[in-house]
Amino acid sequence: MYDHMREALRKAAEAGSAGEIPVGAVIVKNGEVVCGAANECEQRLDPTAHAEMLAIREACRILGTKTLQGCELYVTLEPCPMCAGAAAAAGISKLVFGSYDTEYGACGSVWNLPAHPFSGRMEVYGGIMEADCASMLREFFSGMRQKKKAEDPPISIS
């Protein structure tokens, strides 16, 4: 479990280096990584280009199927409603995430889509390597705030 989350963290670091919110996802089947993805919303100008969505699409392509039953999704941040719904629709068997998302989390924090009957029998495990995942997000947003502050012109009151 931890090896797969470390791989998701590597993908998250790639996203952060590219100026994206550092979220990474990995799809695993039978203990082997099928694929991984990093957030690409900014690069693609696509609000659906979350790491989970990209990983699900790629895993379906690689495996030649539209369902991912028997697959596990590892992601560094609790999935949003779109991504939790896509994981359920794809038939993901197990979802493992790192940091909880108290604003948009849909796997127990704000909503709990996997608990809904439409979600099937997806197992969900949250808080795995949470400190590492949360730290990467905190550092990214702190850097963004500092950058914005440096770019903002000083306010002069006349």
Side-chain angles (χ1 to χ4, degrees):
M1 181 181 302
Y2 293 96
D3 287 340
H4 300 313
M5 187 58 80
R6 277 190 275 282
E7 181 61 26
L9 276 162
R10 281 190 279 283
K11 292 293 183 183
E14 288 175 19
S17 294
E20 300 279 352
I21 295 173
V23 176
V26 174
I27 303 271
V28 174
K29 185 164 187 169
N30 299 324
E32 298 295 322
V33 173
V34 174
C35 66
N39 269 2
E40 294 184 10
C41 296
E42 300 299 323
Q43 295 169 36
R44 293 180 184 227
L45 300 175
D46 179 355
T48 70
H50 291 196
E52 302 96 306
M53 299 295 289
L54 298 174
I56 288 168
R57 290 175 188 142
E58 182 67 4
C60 287
R61 187 192 67 73
I62 289 169
L63 297 172
T65 182
K66 67 175 187 172
T67 61
L68 297 175
Q69 289 152 339
C71 290
E72 302 168 357
L73 170 61
Y74 292 81
V75 61
T76 57
L77 180 64
E78 180 182 2
C80 70
M82 173 181 68
C83 295
I92 294 286
S93 298
K94 181 164 79 172
L95 168 65
V96 179
F97 67 88
S99 184
Y100 286 87
D101 185 344
T102 57
E103 288 186 58
Y104 303 106
C107 296
S109 289
V110 180
W111 301 281
N112 194 355
L113 294 180
H116 194 280
F118 88 89
S119 295
R121 300 183 192 273
M122 184 167 48
E123 297 175 45
V124 178
Y125 302 91
I128 307 303
M129 297 182 68
E130 183 175 14
D132 295 324
C133 296
S135 173
M136 187 177 291
L137 287 160
R138 263 194 313 277
E139 289 172 19
F140 175 81
F141 285 113
S142 174
M144 293 292 287
R145 283 190 295 276
Q146 289 173 357
K147 183 179 175 185
K148 182 172 177 7
K149 188 175 181 180
E151 291 172 353
D152 286 344
I155 299 173
S156 64
I157 300 176
S158 305

